[in-house]
Short mmCIF file of all heavy atoms in Angstrom, two decimals:
data_model
loop_
_atom_site.label_atom_id
_atom_site.label_comp_id
_atom_site.label_asym_id
_atom_site.label_seq_id
_atom_site.Cartn_x
_atom_site.Cartn_y
_atom_site.Cartn_z
N PHE A 263 12.19 -24.68 -8.77
CA PHE A 263 11.01 -24.12 -7.97
C PHE A 263 10.91 -24.80 -6.64
O PHE A 263 10.42 -24.18 -5.72
CB PHE A 263 9.75 -24.20 -8.79
CG PHE A 263 9.58 -23.10 -9.81
CD1 PHE A 263 10.17 -23.21 -11.01
CD2 PHE A 263 8.85 -21.98 -9.52
CE1 PHE A 263 10.04 -22.18 -12.06
CE2 PHE A 263 8.69 -20.97 -10.46
CZ PHE A 263 9.29 -21.06 -11.69
N GLU A 264 11.29 -26.03 -6.57
CA GLU A 264 11.15 -26.81 -5.33
C GLU A 264 11.96 -26.11 -4.20
O GLU A 264 11.74 -26.31 -3.04
CB GLU A 264 11.57 -28.26 -5.48
CG GLU A 264 10.72 -29.04 -6.41
CD GLU A 264 9.30 -29.14 -5.97
OE1 GLU A 264 9.06 -29.14 -4.70
OE2 GLU A 264 8.35 -29.24 -6.73
N LYS A 265 13.06 -25.39 -4.64
CA LYS A 265 13.92 -24.79 -3.57
C LYS A 265 13.36 -23.44 -3.13
O LYS A 265 13.96 -22.81 -2.24
CB LYS A 265 15.31 -24.63 -4.19
CG LYS A 265 16.06 -25.92 -4.27
CD LYS A 265 17.51 -25.63 -4.69
CE LYS A 265 18.31 -26.92 -4.95
NZ LYS A 265 19.40 -26.71 -5.81
N ILE A 266 12.31 -23.01 -3.74
CA ILE A 266 11.78 -21.69 -3.33
C ILE A 266 10.62 -21.88 -2.31
O ILE A 266 9.57 -22.48 -2.70
CB ILE A 266 11.35 -20.86 -4.54
CG1 ILE A 266 12.58 -20.58 -5.35
CG2 ILE A 266 10.59 -19.64 -4.15
CD1 ILE A 266 12.45 -19.61 -6.42
N HIS A 267 10.84 -21.54 -1.05
CA HIS A 267 9.93 -21.84 -0.05
C HIS A 267 8.85 -20.68 0.21
O HIS A 267 8.04 -20.77 1.02
CB HIS A 267 10.61 -22.15 1.24
CG HIS A 267 11.56 -23.29 1.01
ND1 HIS A 267 12.84 -23.32 1.46
CD2 HIS A 267 11.36 -24.48 0.35
CE1 HIS A 267 13.50 -24.40 1.04
NE2 HIS A 267 12.60 -25.14 0.43
N ASP A 268 9.13 -19.55 -0.47
CA ASP A 268 8.34 -18.39 -0.09
C ASP A 268 7.51 -17.86 -1.38
O ASP A 268 7.24 -16.75 -1.44
CB ASP A 268 9.14 -17.26 0.53
CG ASP A 268 10.17 -16.74 -0.40
OD1 ASP A 268 10.49 -17.39 -1.37
OD2 ASP A 268 10.72 -15.64 -0.08
N ILE A 269 7.32 -18.84 -2.34
CA ILE A 269 6.55 -18.34 -3.53
C ILE A 269 5.14 -17.82 -3.07
O ILE A 269 4.68 -16.86 -3.60
CB ILE A 269 6.46 -19.45 -4.59
CG1 ILE A 269 5.77 -19.00 -5.81
CG2 ILE A 269 5.65 -20.63 -4.00
CD1 ILE A 269 6.14 -19.85 -7.06
N MET A 270 4.65 -18.51 -2.01
CA MET A 270 3.55 -17.93 -1.30
C MET A 270 3.96 -17.97 0.13
O MET A 270 4.50 -18.93 0.58
CB MET A 270 2.33 -18.83 -1.38
CG MET A 270 1.50 -18.76 -2.71
SD MET A 270 0.44 -17.30 -2.74
CE MET A 270 -0.85 -17.75 -1.55
N ALA A 271 3.80 -16.82 0.87
CA ALA A 271 4.05 -16.88 2.30
C ALA A 271 2.82 -16.63 3.04
O ALA A 271 1.84 -16.09 2.40
CB ALA A 271 5.07 -15.90 2.63
N MET A 272 2.71 -17.00 4.27
CA MET A 272 1.57 -16.70 5.06
C MET A 272 1.93 -15.53 5.94
O MET A 272 2.99 -15.48 6.41
CB MET A 272 1.27 -17.94 5.93
CG MET A 272 0.07 -18.60 5.38
SD MET A 272 -0.13 -20.01 6.36
CE MET A 272 -1.56 -19.56 7.14
N ARG A 273 0.97 -14.75 6.16
CA ARG A 273 1.19 -13.55 6.96
C ARG A 273 0.20 -13.55 8.08
O ARG A 273 -1.05 -13.64 7.93
CB ARG A 273 1.00 -12.31 6.08
CG ARG A 273 1.66 -11.11 6.66
CD ARG A 273 1.75 -10.09 5.51
NE ARG A 273 3.00 -10.17 4.74
CZ ARG A 273 3.13 -9.53 3.61
NH1 ARG A 273 2.10 -8.93 3.08
NH2 ARG A 273 4.24 -9.61 2.98
N ILE A 274 0.73 -13.50 9.35
CA ILE A 274 -0.18 -13.48 10.49
C ILE A 274 0.04 -12.08 11.20
O ILE A 274 1.14 -11.75 11.60
CB ILE A 274 0.10 -14.63 11.50
CG1 ILE A 274 0.05 -15.95 10.73
CG2 ILE A 274 -0.75 -14.51 12.68
CD1 ILE A 274 0.44 -17.13 11.60
N LEU A 275 -1.08 -11.38 11.16
CA LEU A 275 -1.00 -10.02 11.93
C LEU A 275 -1.71 -10.10 13.26
O LEU A 275 -2.81 -10.64 13.38
CB LEU A 275 -1.72 -8.98 10.98
CG LEU A 275 -1.18 -8.88 9.58
CD1 LEU A 275 -1.96 -7.69 8.91
CD2 LEU A 275 0.32 -8.54 9.64
N VAL A 276 -1.01 -9.65 14.32
CA VAL A 276 -1.52 -9.62 15.61
C VAL A 276 -1.38 -8.20 16.22
O VAL A 276 -0.75 -7.34 15.57
CB VAL A 276 -0.85 -10.67 16.56
CG1 VAL A 276 -1.23 -12.06 16.11
CG2 VAL A 276 0.64 -10.47 16.53
N GLU A 277 -1.91 -8.00 17.48
CA GLU A 277 -1.94 -6.71 18.06
C GLU A 277 -0.55 -6.20 18.59
O GLU A 277 -0.16 -5.10 18.31
CB GLU A 277 -2.95 -6.59 19.19
CG GLU A 277 -4.41 -6.78 18.75
CD GLU A 277 -4.98 -5.57 18.10
OE1 GLU A 277 -4.38 -4.46 18.20
OE2 GLU A 277 -6.02 -5.64 17.42
N THR A 278 0.10 -7.04 19.33
CA THR A 278 1.30 -6.59 20.08
C THR A 278 2.46 -7.40 19.80
O THR A 278 2.38 -8.55 19.28
CB THR A 278 1.07 -6.63 21.62
OG1 THR A 278 0.87 -7.97 22.02
CG2 THR A 278 -0.21 -5.80 22.06
N VAL A 279 3.61 -6.93 20.19
CA VAL A 279 4.92 -7.68 19.98
C VAL A 279 4.79 -9.05 20.83
O VAL A 279 5.18 -10.03 20.31
CB VAL A 279 6.16 -6.88 20.51
CG1 VAL A 279 7.41 -7.72 20.55
CG2 VAL A 279 6.35 -5.68 19.58
#
Side-chain angles (χ1 to χ4, degrees):
F263 279 82
E264 295 298 330
K265 286 187 185 155
I266 295 189
H267 305 131
D268 63 345
I269 188 159
M270 281 280 290
M272 256 174 110
R273 202 165 267 162
I274 302 177
L275 304 182
V276 291
E277 295 285 343
T278 65
V279 170

